[in-house]
Amino acid sequence: MFILKNIRYKNILSIDSLEIPSGKVTCITGESGSGKSTLLKLLNNLISPDEGEILFKGNSVDKINPVELRRKVVMLSQNPVIFDGTVKDNLLAGLVFANKQLPSQQRLSEVLEQVRLNKEFEQNADSLSGGEKQRLSLARVLLMDPEVFLLDEPSSSLDEATEHFIIDGLVNHTRQSGKTLIMVTHSKKVAEVFSDYEITIADGKVSGRRYK
């Protein structure tokens, strides 16, 4: 799905070649500061490489309209944005921005259950804890139902039991719907249990690849 060729970005990343498959769960692991989040942003064209080329489904990402690309390839950052307003406002924000059809109340309830967020729709989103805000942002991304989920440490604020429940549900959804999930994670356990393919980044370079 993604092919990277001779990528250089500042003094952060130097990747000669890398392919990330379609329809699989790919985990990107490595030490803090190794370039994992930068790699994720390159895939979504939030930043552009200084050198090299990134292909998405055979097309150079810098030739794809950024709005169209980000409808298909949706990223959840490590510190996701929470918008002013209610829980419901935040759930619908991505769909509104993308001009997509709004879901039923039942679907909204289902996605909150999927991320274990037992909150009223009309509750002020700013009153949520850090972990709750992270789960609300993940629910917003799930509702957008893109071809590719780019998730940067989606469970970093969660306890182990909640992390396992949410990642398991996310991975099952990805596989059942034929989507692609690319996830940066600090957790070796998450990568071991859930990934089809693991990429290890060290000092800005690909230091390891592991297929299951």
Side-chain angles (χ1 to χ4, degrees), residues 36-150:
K36 305 184 299 298
S37 297
T38 300
L39 173 55
L40 221 57
K41 291 175 183 176
L42 286 168
L43 299 180
N44 201 30
N45 202 17
L46 288 175
I47 57 175
S48 300
D50 300 319
E51 298 178 32
E53 185 177 32
I54 300 172
L55 302 178
F56 171 62
K57 298 172 70 173
N59 299 304
S60 179
V61 297
D62 63 4
K63 301 292 197 314
I64 304 172
N65 181 294
V67 174
E68 291 300 318
L69 177 65
R70 289 168 199 152
R71 283 177 179 162
K72 297 175 181 177
V73 184
V74 174
M75 181 171 174
L76 177 66
S77 67
Q78 189 172 355
N79 298 302
V81 173
I82 294 295
F83 301 100
D84 290 337
T86 65
V87 166
K88 185 175 181 178
D89 292 335
N90 273 268
L91 286 173
L92 297 178
L95 296 169
V96 171
F97 290 151
N99 293 315
K100 290 188 174 184
Q101 183 176 349
L102 301 185
S104 66
Q105 199 90 335
Q106 176 63 30
R107 175 60 185 138
L108 295 180
S109 296
E110 288 171 356
V111 79
L112 286 183
E113 184 176 341
Q114 187 175 348
V115 299
R116 277 191 174 173
L117 188 59
N118 184 23
K119 298 295 177 182
E120 298 294 330
F121 289 131
E122 299 310 313
Q123 182 169 340
N124 189 323
D126 200 46
S127 69
L128 302 181
S129 69
E132 289 169 341
K133 289 177 179 177
Q134 188 176 42
R135 280 177 276 161
L136 178 59
S137 299
L138 179 57
R140 184 170 64 217
V141 168
L142 287 169
L143 284 168
M144 294 184 71
D145 198 32
E147 289 183 40
V148 183
F149 295 95
L150 300 178

Side-chain angles (χ1 to χ4, degrees), residues 1-4 17-21 197 199 209 211:
M1 174 163 277
F2 286 99
I3 297 175
L4 288 75
S17 66
L18 180 64
E19 184 168 354
I20 301 176
Y197 179 41
I199 300 165
R209 297 175 171 92
Y211 293 91

Side-chain angles (χ1 to χ4, degrees), residues 173-188:
H173 170 78
T174 300
R175 289 177 173 151
Q176 289 169 9
S177 58
K179 308 291 185 179
T180 300
L181 170 59
I182 304 169
M183 175 171 55
V184 167
T185 179
H186 67 283
S187 171
K188 287 290 187 183

Side-chain angles (χ1 to χ4, degrees), residues 115-116 135 155 158-168:
V115 299
R116 277 191 174 173
R135 280 177 276 161
S155 58
L158 308 180
D159 62 76
E160 187 172 346
T162 304
E163 174 183 64
H164 186 94
F165 176 87
I166 290 175
I167 298 298
D168 184 61

